[in-house]
Amino acid sequence: SFVVTAGDNSYMLAMPAVFDRNVFTPLQGVMAEAPLMAVLGDHDTFIASGGEALADALSLPGGALHYTYEYGPVQIIALGVEGDAKAIAYAKAQLAKPWPGPRFAVMHTPLQPGDPLADVLRGNVDAVFSGHLHRYERRTVDGVLQIVSGTGGQGPGNVEFTKASSDAVFTTMDYGFVRVIAGPTGSTIQMIDEAGALRDSVTVPPR
């Protein structure tokens, strides 16, 4: 097992003085049991030196923006804060390389319809995981399965600023985390709330 975060690891700002309070104390139990990989979010990079310090503190490759992580049969392609030109170029280069097992992209800001990155990911990843919004959502964006997992940290967002997507298959602002059970015959993606109840589940066949 391993753990991946989708950004905003140190909320509201990433500064070494608050890493113990914001990152290492809340995640110490998880980090004692499994490797932790992360991408940076807008709050992590609001102060450039803070993002760099957080990447160093977590020993993340690629400055925690664009890197590829492989664990057993699973490949994670980290695309940073948003689907900009650098993220698109990195995704194209990595996806041009064959990978027979489950392959996922992780990016802080969720895809939106018309996003050029969706054209690169479609048919080449099993799903893309994002954060940013303080809610959980499962939706398909331009043919790409997107899971927004933003309910594991700071808490529910203001409904006014964290509105549900009209095309979401399932959406909630309840606390929880996403569990992925991945294997050669496909993957199961589940949303588990803070009480341990299964709230959403989708099975993804092999590509």
Side-chain angles (χ1 to χ4, degrees), residues 54-130:
L54 182 59
D56 288 342
L58 294 174
S59 300
L60 299 174
L65 288 176
H66 310 122
Y67 66 91
T68 299
Y69 178 68
E70 297 171 358
Y71 191 96
V74 178
Q75 184 183 70
I76 302 293
I77 299 176
L79 298 176
V81 179
E82 58 187 353
D84 57 15
K86 290 183 178 180
I88 290 173
Y90 185 80
K92 285 181 176 179
Q94 294 303 302
L95 294 173
K97 304 172 184 178
W99 183 262
R103 175 185 258 173
F104 303 99
V106 182
M107 178 178 69
H108 179 61
T109 305
L111 289 172
Q112 297 298 329
D115 193 323
L117 181 59
D119 293 334
V120 179
L121 299 179
R122 186 171 50 251
N124 294 310
V125 299
D126 299 283
V128 57
F129 295 94
S130 300

Side-chain angles (χ1 to χ4, degrees), residues 112-173:
Q112 297 298 329
D115 193 323
L117 181 59
D119 293 334
V120 179
L121 299 179
R122 186 171 50 251
N124 294 310
V125 299
D126 299 283
V128 57
F129 295 94
S130 300
H132 194 57
L133 298 179
H134 292 200
R135 66 167 55 244
Y136 167 89
E137 282 197 342
R138 171 165 60 94
R139 62 192 292 225
T140 298
V141 180
D142 292 347
V144 180
L145 174 62
Q146 175 168 264
I147 304 293
V148 177
S149 180
T151 57
Q154 174 65 15
N158 186 311
V159 176
E160 180 181 357
F161 301 108
T162 315
K163 295 179 180 179
S165 300
S166 60
D167 58 349
V169 177
F170 182 84
T171 182
T172 181
M173 297 177 72

